[in-house]
Structures are given as C-alpha cells and as structure tokens.
Amino acid sequence: MKMTLDNPSPDLYKIAEARHHDPFAVLGKHTEADGDEVVRAYIPGAAEVFLVENNQPLQRIPHTDLFEWRGTGGKVPQHYRLRWQDALGNTHVAYDPYCFTSQLAQYDLGLFSAGRHWHAYRFLGAHPRTVEGDVQGRAVAKGSASVGRFQPPASGDTCASMHDAGGRMPGAAIDGILFTVWAPNAERVSVIGDFNQWDGRRYPMRVHSDHGIWELFIPGLGDGALYKFEIRNRDSGALHTKVDPYARRAEVRPGTASIVDTARDYQWCDGEWMQRRAAQGAGCAETAAAPTDWLHQPMSTYEVHLGSWQRDDQGHFLNYRELAHRLVSHVKPLGFTHIELLPITEHPLDASWGYQTIGYYAATSRFGTPDDFRYFVDHCHRNGIGVLLDWVPGHFPKDLHGLARFDGTALYEHEDPRRGEHRDWGTYIFNYGRNEVKNFLLSNALYWLEEFHLDGLRVDAVASMIYLDYSREAGDWEPNIYGGNENLEALAFLREVNQLTHDQQPGTVIIAEESTSWPMVSRPTWLGGLGFSMKWNMGWMHDTLKYMGKDPIHRHYQHDQLTFGLLYAFTENFVLPFSHDEVVHGKQSLLHKMPGDEWQRFANLRLLYTYMFTYPGKKLLFMGCEFGQGQEWNHAATLDWYVLQYPLHKGVQTLVGDLNHLYRAHPALHHYDFDHQGFEWIDCHDATQSVISYMRKTDDSFIIAVFNFTPVPRPHYRIGVPCGGMYKELLNSDSVYYGGSNLGNYDPIPATATPWMGRPYSIEITLPPLAGVVFKFGG
C-alpha cells in the first residue's frame, strides 16, 4: 500500500510511537514504484521543515511530527540537508541522518559475531567519521575498523565537529559521529543525548539483524556530546536507557551519560620504552634499545588508588597529569619499577575502589580525560617506570544504566543466577561462552595495552571465575558438562586472553590474583596452563602475616609458616603481594599487625620488608606501606603523609628505598625469582631461636640473608657458607638510619674453614634483634 499524506501507513505511526525496528525503510529518501522521490523526516517540535537544496517545504502528516516531500526528476541529492524551526523560533540546519547508507563493513560484523574481532572497540561505540559522496552518489567512509596489530589513525581521519553545519556544500565531505551498539533482543534502539533533548523518538538506529548490531551516523555531531542508548525490548516493550558499553569517556558521578571522545592524535614520547618492551617480549636483540627479559628482571610494584593517594589542598581529586609528576617524584627515588593502579575504568561508586566497573573502555573522568591518562602513562615510561592496571573481567554491577539486562534480557550475563550472579558481591557474572561477550572482554584487554601503552593487567578475582561453586552453598551451583565444578568457558576465555595479549602486545604481562591451588596458572597454554605471566602468592602472604602477627615468644611454634612456602615457591611465577586487601575492613595497617611496643612494631615491619625483598618472587607493596602508615587505608581520605616527619616512619621509607635498590642492583636477588636455581637454604631448622638463613643465587654470584624473628640479639651466630673469603654486610634493617638499635657487622667478616650446616666454611656474625641482615661475598 502506497503511503501518502491522506493515507498514512501503520509504519508511519510506528515511527511516531518509536516502535519501528527499521526506521530507514520509512525515513530518508526513497524512490517509489511510480518514480516519485519521497523524503520523510520525523522532527518532534518542528514548526516547519524545508529541504535546503531545493528550498522546498515538507508537508506535515496530520496529527504527527512526521514531514514529507514528494517530487520527480532527481531534484534531491543523495546527501541532503533539512532546515527547520522549533517552537521557540530557533532555526536549525543539518544533514539528515537517514540519507546515509550503512557505514559498517560485513567483515567487522562477521568477526564480531564469531568472537574473533580483537579490535571491536574500533567500530562499536561512538566514533568520528567523515562521509564523502563520489560521482555515483555512493557513501565512502573514513575511519572504519581494522583487524591486526595496532596502527594509529592518520591525522586526516580525525573529524572536526560541525553541528548545524549549514555552510556545507552538497557533495562535500560530511563529518559526524557513527554510533554502534550490540543489542540483539531489541525492537528499537535510539541514540539519545543533549543534542536531541534525550528524546528516543528522534534518532532511531538501523539494525543488522543477523548480528544484533545497530548503527546510526549523525552528521554534524562532534567531541564532547553527551549520549546514551534508549532500547525498547522486542518482547515486553519495556524501555531501557543504557550507557555505551564501548564509550571512551563518561560523565563524572553522579552523572551517568557517555561522552563522545574524538581524540585520536596523542603524541607519545615513550618510543624507546615501547621498543624495549617489544624486544623483551619477542626475545629479539636486533633493536636500538637493549633487549631485556621480564622473567629475569627485577620487578617491584607500587600499588596505588589514585583517589586517595594525594589530593589538592581543598580535598579535590588531582588530574592524571599532576598525579603523574607527583607519583614519579615519589616512586622513582624509592626504586620501584612499576606502578599498579586499582581500576581506573569508570565506576559510579567511589567506595567500590573501581572494582564494580560500568565503563570498561573509559578511563574515569574523576581525574581528567583519556589523553590526560595517556600523559600519565607516557610520563611514567619516560622516567623508566612501567604501569599496570587492575582489570575486572569477572563480574559487573547491577546498575540499571550499565551492562545489566542490557537489551531487556540477560545479554552480557548468564540468565541462570546459579551461573550469572555473585551472591556475596551483588554483581553479575559475564557469560564467557557467548562470542560477543568474550569479544567485548578480549578487545578490552587489548584496548588498554594498545591505546594507553599499559605494560600489563592484573586480573582480579580469578578464583571466582574458574570455579562454578565459588562461595556457593550446595545446590546453588550447576556442574559443568562433565559433572565438575570448573567453569570451562571461563577457563577457555582466560587462556585466550593470555594468548592474545602476549601475541599482539609482546612484553606485556598478565598477572592473576588467584587465591587457590589451581595448577599451572602461570604456565603456557600449550603445556596445559592458563597462560598468565605471573600469579599473586596469596599463600605466602597469608602465612607470613599470620606468623609476623604472633608475639615473638610464640613464633618458634609456628616456624613452619616461614618454611612451608619454599615447597611450592617455584611451581608458579609468583608475585609477593602486600596489597590493599590486607589493610582494610578491620585487618589493620601492616604496621599495626605487628606485635609489641612501638619500637618492636617498627622493627618487625622492617624485618618483614627485608624478608620480602630477599625472598624469591616479584614484589608488590600498597601505597602507605612504604612509610609505615598507621591507619587502615581509607578510600575517602589521603594517606597520612604527615607521619614522615617522625624518624621511625621516615626510617621505614628509607629502608624500602634501599631494599628496592639492593634488589635491583644484585642479579642474585632477582634473576632466578621463578627458578629453584636461585634459592638455597642455609638453615631452616633453627625454630628454637626463630632464625632462618638462605642464599639467593645466580650462575656466578650469591647473596646471603639471615633473619632473627625475636627481640633477642644473637652475637657470635654462626652460619655455613660455600667458600672462603670475606663477607660484607650490605644491608641491616636494624641500622640507625632506619630507626633501629644499630647493632650489626661493621667490618668484613672472614670465613673460616670450620664446617657448619653441611658447608666447608662458616662465618660468625652479629644478628640484631627483630632484624634481617644481608651479606655479599667479597672474594
């Protein structure tokens, strides 16, 4: 049936009621069977509408805000403009979004549906686009997605804003924003924003029904526009207003809108760092920068929550750029090699610390723009400091504007709450078996490594992902197809993300926070492992803190808590973490976990750090621990920097700096962090005196570390050594420089041919109270 002003079809009413699943079949320019050209537009609030190119009025369809023009003879170009007046008398001129053909490539759509589009963020979301008309009138788009290694866009592909661009000539290049979103169970999806009064009737999108992806190119729109998607579910008809899952910017809370971000031309200055990183991942020596191998390099990480590390004098958040300078000035002299950030992906609630993410592709606007965060990473790299990010692919919050029930159905999450919901955290679990969901997360991992030059991701709560019965009672979980409790889809996803990132971004690391004894977490996938670079050593951390929390008089009963960890120390590539989780929720600060009076607490803390920095494994220390913060960490307040005016706190900070420099300077302390070749007990049996001693080794050198876990000084303490010669004390945590009693070994100690502890030589040392002492063989 032919649609006319006198005989409007049901399709027109569906457009007016925002129920039409295919608005391009009705709106825009059409040629009918009789040769008539028809232009239809739906502009709520318009008093009158004209075609700019022929200055012809569109006629209002009675009782609607639909307007129509009819003519013959090819009077309307492919890309035409509309002029209208609103109720306030304001005039608007813009290209009609419904005169443009689809801007998406079938190649991109097919790869995404198959779960194989590693750069889905390049075509999903909101992207600047320039559309040009060729001689046949076909649309040619710049800025399309591509697959493979990251290539920055050419400067010509970044489009300028031109809202209400009435001065454009027909046929000229047309700039705008291409919006795309995956919502396969929607009847209708619209782009809403501050540019259309958040009216879901105004900009309904085109659907690619085979892939569940909707798109709309809105000409004239540019950087900074606020937007969301309004989604009408096809079954219930319910409306859902959602932020863009692929948005690169978001409003600062309490605002929740996504923000169009067209920045694509940040000028990086970390080329030498990136070249070296790629070389260490590829093992390639043919590079201008000296190649390295992260497995055998020192790695000491400073874990930071940006919102509470420091703030300005009024208590406001600092910008990423200022944080970069302040953090580097603090971290670099202390000798840390990396900064690890608690999640800076956009999140609505400060108290979640970033672990309940809404915007997986958006660096939180609390601290500035995406380019401000790029500057943060760039500045760290130029100062020789790597940047890691906590990443949360295990769950997401139930906030109505986020991923939850995105198109009115369980889209990103499992429908069955036994597999799709975390009871403890009140969050949803990703459906790792769905290609598009897996693609969302895989692309996200690459996004942070590629677009922001991050050096690695620490994957949060891996145990919650790989066990179907994680924190569940009997009957509240569903076994896998083999009857087991392993989440086979999550395991496959983790292996894939590790394979992908190591292949696409060589030299980056993916670190697992995995709290169980799952085997081979940090072993290659081709050996049957999960493929992570490293794993947090939660067992060592818990045993060590439990031991250190005992009064020294009782420690000899718990001696095995010091020695047990070496039975499994080299089964994984371990990181030794004293993280944020250990200094919150009533657990007390590390300082106040220590027993005794003030002097003993500080001595125990210095002893703990000396033990950590000489023990096999990479290091991680949460902010504030480096100077003995007394209070528990509070995300809503800054660290207690004022305590650095007190000698004992300043002494802890000085020790941490010296330990970092010692760890980095001596290969024996880091080269074989993950290999039994790098460790040898001297004596692990002296439980009576609560003393242990061991060697850290390389192929041609060794370091000796001895620890006294009691407040009793032990002069003339004899330990066995492998060879004769002089032994020099390199570090003593009891030094007066650190706030200790200054008991130690001031002169080099000669080894005598007195067999001891199964070795042909021995040295007699002074072992200070509650202290660790480190020696180097002097030849």
Side-chain angles (χ1 to χ4, degrees), residues 288-306:
T292 56
D293 174 6
W294 65 262
L295 281 165
H296 299 108
Q297 293 299 308
M299 185 174 183
S300 180
T301 302
Y302 186 68
E303 189 187 30
V304 180
H305 177 258
L306 290 179

Side-chain angles (χ1 to χ4, degrees), residues 704-762:
I704 290 175
V706 190
F707 303 91
N708 179 9
F709 290 93
T710 73
V712 180
R714 304 198 184 279
H716 312 296
Y717 191 86
R718 186 172 293 275
I719 62 170
V721 294
C723 53
M726 304 301 290
Y727 289 80
K728 179 183 178 182
E729 183 181 279
L730 290 179
L731 183 139
N732 182 341
S733 68
D734 191 51
S735 167
V736 68
Y737 294 109
Y738 310 136
S741 63
N742 214 36
L743 187 65
N745 306 272
Y746 305 106
D747 299 316
I749 302 170
T752 63
T754 304
W756 203 259
M757 300 174 179
R759 288 172 178 79
Y761 297 89
S762 59

Side-chain angles (χ1 to χ4, degrees), residues 396-459:
F396 59 90
K398 296 181 178 179
D399 297 62
L400 294 178
H401 63 284
L403 296 177
R405 301 299 192 265
F406 188 76
D407 61 2
T409 67
L411 190 63
Y412 285 87
E413 68 274 30
H414 279 277
E415 178 69 41
D416 188 340
R418 295 175 298 174
R419 299 195 67 183
E421 187 173 350
H422 272 304
R423 311 292 195 193
D424 293 347
W425 304 334
T427 55
Y428 286 130
I429 302 170
F430 283 105
N431 184 350
Y432 305 104
R434 188 161 193 169
N435 284 339
E436 298 89 346
V437 175
K438 181 178 66 173
N439 212 149
F440 171 78
L441 293 170
L442 291 171
S443 297
N444 188 241
L446 278 182
Y447 172 75
W448 290 106
L449 301 179
E450 291 185 350
E451 297 287 334
F452 293 90
H453 290 198
L454 290 175
D455 301 292
L457 304 172
R458 174 266 197 184
V459 183

Side-chain angles (χ1 to χ4, degrees), residues 606-627:
R606 296 193 300 267
L607 169 60
L608 173 67
Y609 290 163
T610 308
Y611 175 56
M612 171 192 184
F613 274 88
T614 58
Y615 194 91
K618 307 308 180 188
K619 325 300 177 189
L620 180 137
L621 198 62
F622 184 58
M623 64 182 197
C625 297
E626 79 277 16
F627 57 76

Side-chain angles (χ1 to χ4, degrees), residues 6-219:
D6 298 326
N7 184 29
S9 77
D11 279 342
L12 295 180
Y13 288 111
K14 285 185 178 181
I15 291 290
E17 295 168 359
R19 293 188 295 110
H20 206 295
H21 73 286
D22 186 13
F24 279 81
V26 179
L27 301 176
K29 175 185 171 183
H30 300 272
T31 301
E32 297 194 339
D34 59 4
D36 281 358
E37 284 185 328
V38 180
V39 174
R40 295 191 192 90
Y42 181 69
I43 308 178
E48 54 184 4
V49 181
F50 289 83
L51 278 167
V52 172
E53 279 67 34
N54 58 16
N55 200 31
Q56 292 292 312
L58 278 72
Q59 302 300 312
R60 184 188 295 272
I61 296 177
H63 313 298
T64 74
D65 284 321
L66 281 157
F67 296 82
E68 182 179 282
W69 174 89
R70 288 179 175 270
T72 58
K75 296 179 180 179
V76 181
Q78 175 68 29
H79 301 134
Y80 57 85
R81 291 169 294 165
L82 300 172
R83 183 178 71 249
W84 71 93
Q85 275 194 336
D86 61 28
L88 299 177
N90 299 314
T91 299
H92 305 266
V93 178
Y95 283 97
D96 184 1
Y98 299 95
C99 71
F100 295 90
T101 58
S102 172
Q103 304 296 300
L104 296 183
Q106 286 298 319
Y107 182 68
D108 289 323
L109 296 172
L111 281 178
F112 177 74
S113 293
R116 305 293 294 175
H117 201 310
W118 311 141
H119 300 90
Y121 60 85
R122 295 186 189 169
F123 81 96
L124 286 164
H127 296 276
R129 181 65 59 103
T130 298
V131 177
E132 302 180 42
D134 63 16
V135 292
Q136 286 81 30
R138 292 181 289 111
V140 179
K142 290 184 178 180
S144 60
S146 60
V147 181
R149 295 293 177 92
F150 170 67
Q151 295 292 331
S155 58
D157 290 346
T158 301
C159 307
S161 169
M162 51 149 277
H163 197 49
D164 282 351
R168 291 279 184 165
M169 294 298 294
I174 303 166
D175 296 335
I177 301 297
L178 175 63
F179 294 91
T180 53
V181 64
W182 178 57
N185 300 300
E187 179 184 35
R188 185 264 302 171
V189 181
S190 297
V191 182
I192 59 175
D194 56 359
F195 43 85
N196 65 4
Q197 293 74 54
W198 305 95
D199 187 343
R201 302 172 298 166
R202 186 69 180 89
Y203 285 145
M205 305 174 78
R206 165 189 279 119
V207 65
H208 297 267
S209 55
D210 290 346
H211 306 281
I213 290 178
W214 302 73
E215 67 160 307
L216 185 67
F217 174 68
I218 302 182

